Amino acid sequence: MSVAAPPDLRIEALAAHHDRDGFSCGVDSLDRYFRTQASQDVRRKANGVFVLVEPERPDVVLGYYTLCATALAPGDVPAAALKHVPRYPLVSATLVGRLAVSDTRQGERLGAMLLADAVRRAHASAATVGSSMLVVDAINERAAAFYEANGFVRLPDSLRLVLPMQVIRGLVEP
């Protein structure tokens, strides 16, 4: 999870100058969300939306991800992760709702860079807003395998995966 954006790339909050209409990752639901809903979600504080850009072309979006607060029932948390969370009626969490890379830049590990940034941001905000784990809803089996390869634990019979903040702490703190 130590993948950071190289100096020729930058991850920043979605802003008005980013070209949302020019982005395409090849998955209609992710493209449609980014083009039509992302800026509204930011305005309404429903999601944080973060984009990957090149500093010399700051309007061209190479990828994006979203973060928001969520909660899980303890019964929905896999046994491997349950030991890391408090015993409350609902387990506080941070959700990576969407993660996508431009179809012109896939295969360059940009998804790993975006995920690493999401993990760092989620960990940094956990002390302020309270979050016991990071949750992702993989769009398909290929995406689920990507998250599993990055340490996430899959919920049974689901495309939902979790990564406890205590595990993340070991990844992001020296």
Side-chain angles (χ1 to χ4, degrees):
M1 196 66 56
S2 62
V3 179
D8 59 332
L9 299 176
R10 181 174 63 223
I11 298 174
E12 59 194 30
L14 178 66
H17 71 275
H18 294 119
D19 179 14
R20 292 184 318 282
D21 290 332
F23 180 81
S24 175
C25 70
V27 177
D28 185 56
S29 62
L30 295 173
D31 292 342
R32 189 175 46 250
Y33 168 81
F34 190 67
R35 291 178 187 146
T36 64
Q37 189 68 37
S39 62
Q40 292 175 45
D41 280 357
V42 170
R43 263 195 319 278
R44 294 178 179 153
K45 306 234 183 281
N47 278 305
V49 181
F50 302 91
V51 297
L52 178 66
V53 298
E54 295 171 308
E56 64 274 3
R57 294 176 38 194
D59 58 323
V60 177
V61 175
L62 305 178
Y64 78 91
Y65 71 87
T66 65
L67 286 178
C68 68
T70 192
L72 300 173
D76 291 340
V77 178
L82 201 54
K83 65 183 176 189
H84 298 290
V85 298
R87 302 207 188 285
Y88 292 133
L90 290 175
V91 177
S92 62
T94 303
L95 175 69
V96 178
R98 294 166 182 85
L99 189 150
V101 174
S102 170
D103 50 14
T104 63
R105 299 294 295 267
Q106 291 178 10
E108 298 179 33
R109 299 206 22 90
L110 301 184
M113 288 178 212
L114 288 164
L115 181 59
D117 190 73
V119 166
R120 283 190 292 276
R121 285 182 199 266
H123 180 262
S125 71
T128 304
V129 299
S131 178
S132 298
M133 64 182 55
L134 188 58
V135 178
V136 296
D137 289 316
I139 198 160
N140 55 34
E141 286 294 334
R142 183 173 167 237
F146 165 76
Y147 291 114
E148 285 178 310
N150 282 284
F152 284 76
V153 177
R154 191 189 292 227
L155 275 62
D157 304 317
S158 172
L159 289 176
R160 179 166 269 193
L161 300 95
V162 301
L163 186 61
M165 285 296 167
Q166 286 193 347
V167 173
I168 291 172
R169 183 179 311 127
L171 298 173
V172 299
E173 293 179 359

